[in-house]
Amino acid sequence: MPQDGIRYSYLLDDPMYLLSRHPGQTLAGHRDSAWIAGCENCRGELLQFCEAAGFSPRIIYSSDDIVVEQAFVAAGLGVTTMPGLALRSHHADGVVASELTEFRRRIYLATFGEPPDPPATTAFITALRTTTHALQLGQTSPPKTGQSWQPG
């Protein structure tokens, strides 16, 4: 729910990926797998996705560090989910990202106060929207479904 004085505007949908060591994986295919999740406060999306797929994940490891989570996956210790924007910043060798086409994170921009925004805020919003537009046009390389991906 919006709080008083906060304005929200939609930026983009961020695709979610299942990280494993094999291509073409699905959530349901890992109902019995070991899972890697964020802290108690950060694993809500993972739990929702798995519940929608008909199971509760057996969480064995927890970390809020995407590098550590991917290292666990690469070592064969479990599987996890991760948003596409996180994969743009780091993608470990040996980790395959399979897009979960039914799941997206909706990303919003939040600003405080009534318009007009201060010049620095306006410049930041313009830069953010320009980058978002470039992402939507595919001007940066997103992870390929079922394929290992390295940032460009």
Side-chain angles (χ1 to χ4, degrees), residues 11-61:
L11 285 176
L12 75 149
D13 284 343
D14 188 13
M16 294 296 294
Y17 294 86
L18 173 67
L19 303 186
S20 69
R21 295 184 345 164
H22 306 285
Q25 301 295 295
T26 65
L27 285 176
H30 285 283
R31 70 176 52 252
D32 296 322
S33 295
W35 283 83
I36 303 151
C39 73
E40 296 288 332
N41 295 325
C42 301
R43 62 180 66 169
E45 286 177 334
L46 170 66
L47 296 175
Q48 288 174 340
F49 299 157
C50 292
E51 181 180 314
F55 70 98
S56 293
R58 185 172 51 96
I59 298 170
I60 303 297
Y61 300 102

Side-chain angles (χ1 to χ4, degrees), residues 76-134:
L77 299 176
V79 297
T80 193
T81 59
M82 196 164 288
L85 289 174
L87 288 172
R88 290 177 188 280
S89 66
H90 178 77
H91 193 122
D93 289 338
V95 173
V96 179
S98 298
E99 186 172 356
L100 301 171
T101 57
E102 65 275 21
F103 300 112
R104 299 278 185 266
R105 288 187 329 151
R106 293 191 64 88
I107 307 294
Y108 291 87
L109 169 68
T111 51
F112 182 77
E114 295 296 321
D117 291 315
T121 301
T122 299
F124 175 75
I125 291 170
T126 299
L128 191 57
R129 290 197 183 281
T130 299
T131 301
T132 299
H133 184 68

